[in-house]
Amino acid sequence: MFRVPQRENKLLVAIHGWSATVLGLLLYAVVFTGTVAVLALEIGYWSVSTSDTKNPFAYKINATVQSLAKKVGRAYREDVSLSKDTAGNLSIFFHKTVRKSNGRNRSRGVLYKVNAETGEVISRQEGFGVDLARNDRDRMLRRFIVDSHVRLYMPRPWGLLVTGILGMVMMIAALTGLIMHRHLIRDAFTLRTHRSAILDARDRHTVAASWGLPYAFLLALTGCFFSFAISFGIPALAWVSFGGNIEQMGRTIAGTQLQRPGKRIQSSDIDAIIADATHRAGVLPRSVNIEYFGRKNAKVSTRHLARFGELEGKTYRYKGLDGTFEKRLPAVGQVPSIGGTIVSIIGPLHFGSFAGYLSKIIWVALGFASCYMIVTGMNLWVQRRAEESRAWRFFGRYIDICTIGLPLALVGSAYAFFLYRHSDAVVSATPLGFVVVALPLLALGLFVPRRQLATGLWMALSLSLLALPIARYLSGGFGWLEALSQGAITVVAIDLVLILSALACAWTVRKSPVVGHSLTAKTA
């Protein structure tokens, strides 16, 4: 496709290889966890055995909210946030804004978990909203997966900066790979039969890269936006325009400036507002927020995910006084704009959530293809230098440890979640399960030969995946018949995916236990 002089082509090969190899293992970690995070919502429903179609906003909730508001009292009735939790229950957070000792404004209040169908209160907690969300037991496995992808479970903002840099590395690898491919269309369909294992592996790498280049570039671009916008862009804008006050900037952009609480009145019917918003959006809300609850100047906002085939979700605003519809709110600012449209579609494009399960399945397939591309690319680069240095041969072991060990460690966190699911210890046990599996694997790479190491890792991954549905069931989850009767199709589907993945891992051991073994037989 591109004709590049030989000297420049060698430079491109060097940039392409070193950019993907030096940070290749971290890049693989981000892409793999991102591929799993595409199904984070579904994994959350599966982990607590509930139906993803169960939505508390499908029931009448106005009477429940009004009744609980009287129990809370006036102290925390400044705002009310309603949302669906991982178990399909209704979360009702009555809260007010308070200033913490560090000078930042935070929401503090009372959080109720309610069975929306019966109105039964499941739990009551009091505290800061960020702490209550962090300690939500049902969300822990889902949250750990997302945090592992978004910031590699590192402290903010450093984790976001690292993933942003890795996104740039991925863009560099994609662009240089595109330029180096002189016959991109032909290479996308070329799998030749060679006597050389290295040439065979290079063809497979080229085919995977040719099909995955558009996805890799899109993934890297949108990922960079998220990482740098949150870690650098938003604080920089707040510093320049609002003296570093992020809260004030957020209120200005959202048009929710602090005002005096209006006269107390009887709140409008939340059920009527939800019904009207659902008719406009075509889908039930994902959350409802009420500012100045029970006041004359109250505002009600309903947020909806995008319908099948749409990229943008919808947010509507109503008057809390009488439930009158005011307007549809853009993603950013108060009036529609190109920037707001771009911001609203970046999320669906990054996570593949714009066409239901169809787009998610495609995104997962492309994500694993990208993982394969990264792993084979590192192996090819190591093979070229294996004869030059023992360090490169040693690095080959850690390619196997990271590529097989990462999913094994994630499975370890899932086992820890199920073991402590009904205890507050699950908050710390879930990430600890990852560490308990990962540290011994890193130590094994120091002295176990590559062939035996990879064989053992594949077998361990196969068996652990196979037993994971049993662990879910023993922790109090649905059996398949009960799941089907409750409409929890996702529970059965993910169990089947895990079983098939376990069989695929066992088949991999039988065929070639070492990742890239055909490339690096001499280094094993």
Side-chain angles (χ1 to χ4, degrees):
M1 180 175 287
F2 296 96
R3 292 192 175 276
V4 182
Q6 185 176 5
R7 180 180 176 183
E8 284 74 8
N9 189 66
K10 288 183 178 180
L11 178 62
L12 283 173
V13 170
I15 295 173
H16 180 80
W18 282 108
S19 65
T21 304
V22 171
L23 296 175
L25 296 179
L26 283 176
L27 182 60
Y28 168 80
V30 171
V31 176
F32 183 87
T33 53
T35 302
V36 178
V38 169
L39 299 175
L41 277 174
E42 289 73 18
I43 291 173
Y45 300 136
W46 165 79
S47 65
V48 296
S49 292
T50 190
S51 171
D52 54 349
T53 60
K54 184 180 178 182
N55 193 318
F57 295 109
Y59 303 98
K60 301 295 184 182
I61 62 173
N62 183 68
T64 301
V65 174
Q66 301 296 342
S67 174
L68 292 176
K70 295 176 182 178
K71 294 182 180 180
V72 170
R74 296 184 178 183
Y76 289 137
R77 289 211 309 248
E78 181 179 301
D79 297 322
V80 182
S81 299
L82 313 173
S83 61
K84 171 188 175 182
D85 74 359
T86 303
N89 298 312
L90 178 65
S91 292
I92 308 176
F93 185 40
F94 297 92
H95 58 98
K96 66 177 181 178
T97 301
V98 299
R99 186 173 293 274
K100 297 185 72 174
S101 57
N102 59 9
R104 292 185 177 181
N105 291 330
R106 289 291 183 265
S107 295
R108 180 179 178 83
V110 177
L111 173 66
Y112 288 98
K113 294 289 185 72
V114 178
N115 183 322
E117 185 176 5
T118 64
E120 176 191 358
V121 175
I122 299 171
S123 66
R124 180 191 185 276
Q125 295 176 287
E126 183 174 344
F128 288 100
V130 63
D131 296 328
L132 294 174
R134 186 183 297 119
N135 296 322
D136 188 341
R137 292 184 297 187
D138 288 341
R139 292 182 59 193
M140 199 56 222
L141 181 59
R142 165 188 163 190
R143 183 180 174 186
F144 176 73
I145 291 171
V146 173
D147 282 351
S148 298
H149 168 63
V150 172
R151 55 186 180 89
L152 293 174
Y153 220 74
M154 297 169 62
R156 292 188 179 188
W158 308 113
L160 291 168
L161 289 172
V162 170
T163 54
I165 292 171
L166 291 172
M168 294 180 65
V169 170
M170 192 169 183
M171 281 197 289
I172 291 171
L175 289 173
T176 53
L178 175 64
I179 295 173
M180 286 190 302
H181 279 66
R182 295 185 179 182
H183 308 286
L184 184 63
I185 304 300
R186 187 186 69 184
D187 289 345
F189 299 93
T190 301
L191 278 174
R192 295 164 291 186
T193 302
H194 298 286
R195 293 183 179 179
S196 168
I198 296 179
L199 294 178
D200 284 338
R202 189 175 66 184
D203 276 356
R204 292 194 295 270
H205 173 76
T206 300
V207 169
S210 299
W211 284 101
L213 274 175
Y215 170 80
F217 186 80
L218 178 64
L219 184 72
L221 182 63
T222 54
C224 282
F225 173 85
F226 279 127
S227 296
F228 289 130
I230 296 173
S231 64
F232 177 75
I234 292 176
L237 179 60
W239 180 262
V240 171
S241 302
F242 298 90
N245 191 329
I246 294 179
E247 291 84 2
Q248 176 64 25
M249 181 189 72
R251 289 194 297 268
T252 301
I253 293 175
T256 57
Q257 294 299 328
L258 293 177
Q259 356 175 0
R260 283 187 173 184
K263 181 181 177 181
R264 289 194 177 276
I265 60 168
Q266 178 63 38
S267 300
S268 57
D269 188 345
I270 300 173
D271 294 331
I273 292 175
I274 290 175
D276 182 79
T278 301
H279 176 72
R280 294 175 185 273
V283 291
L284 287 164
R286 65 178 297 190
S287 65
V288 176
N289 188 65
I290 308 172
E291 302 171 42
Y292 300 108
F293 176 75
R295 300 282 188 169
K296 186 176 181 180
N297 55 343
K299 301 288 184 182
V300 182
S301 300
T302 66
R303 292 177 173 82
H304 309 255
L305 293 173
R307 289 188 297 179
F308 182 88
E310 293 182 352
L311 285 175
E312 291 186 79
K314 297 179 176 67
T315 301
Y316 299 116
R317 175 172 288 177
Y318 293 80
K319 289 183 179 179
L321 176 63
D322 54 10
T324 303
F325 175 77
E326 284 191 339
K327 61 179 178 179
R328 176 184 172 183
L329 295 174
V332 177
Q334 293 300 296
V335 296
S337 64
I338 296 177
T341 300
I342 293 174
V343 169
S344 66
I345 67 176
I346 281 179
L349 286 176
H350 188 73
F351 290 105
S353 57
F354 52 86
Y357 286 121
L358 176 61
S359 58
K360 287 192 174 188
I361 291 172
I362 294 173
W363 251 234
V364 168
L366 290 172
F368 282 125
S370 296
C371 292
Y372 178 82
M373 176 178 65
I374 294 170
V375 173
T376 53
M378 286 191 294
N379 272 311
L380 285 167
W381 192 259
V382 167
Q383 170 62 17
R384 289 183 177 183
R385 288 151 182 79
E387 300 297 330
E388 302 173 4
S389 170
R390 183 180 178 182
W392 283 109
R393 297 194 293 272
F394 186 75
F395 179 66
R397 293 187 188 181
Y398 278 92
I399 293 177
D400 291 342
I401 287 177
C402 291
T403 53
I404 314 171
L406 176 60
L408 189 57
L410 285 176
V411 171
S413 67
Y415 277 105
F417 172 83
F418 291 129
L419 183 62
Y420 293 95
R421 177 185 162 190
H422 303 290
S423 165
D424 290 337
V426 71
V427 176
S428 57
T430 303
L432 186 60
F434 182 94
V435 175
V436 167
V437 174
L439 289 181
L441 294 182
L442 293 175
L444 286 174
L446 296 175
F447 54 86
V448 178
R450 189 177 186 189
R451 177 183 291 277
Q452 288 83 349
L453 177 66
T455 301
L457 289 176
W458 278 119
M459 288 304 301
L461 181 58
S462 177
L463 294 174
S464 61
L465 287 172
L466 194 62
L468 201 52
I470 300 174
R472 178 194 60 77
Y473 176 73
L474 293 178
S475 71
F478 289 157
W480 284 5
L481 292 178
E482 185 180 3
L484 293 174
S485 67
Q486 296 288 336
I489 307 299
T490 300
V491 173
V492 179
I494 292 185
D495 278 352
L496 290 174
V497 168
L498 291 171
I499 293 171
L500 292 175
S501 299
L503 296 177
C505 291
W507 179 82
T508 301
V509 173
R510 180 176 179 274
K511 183 179 180 183
S512 178
V514 179
V515 177
H517 166 63
S518 58
L519 304 182
T520 53
K522 294 181 181 180
T523 69

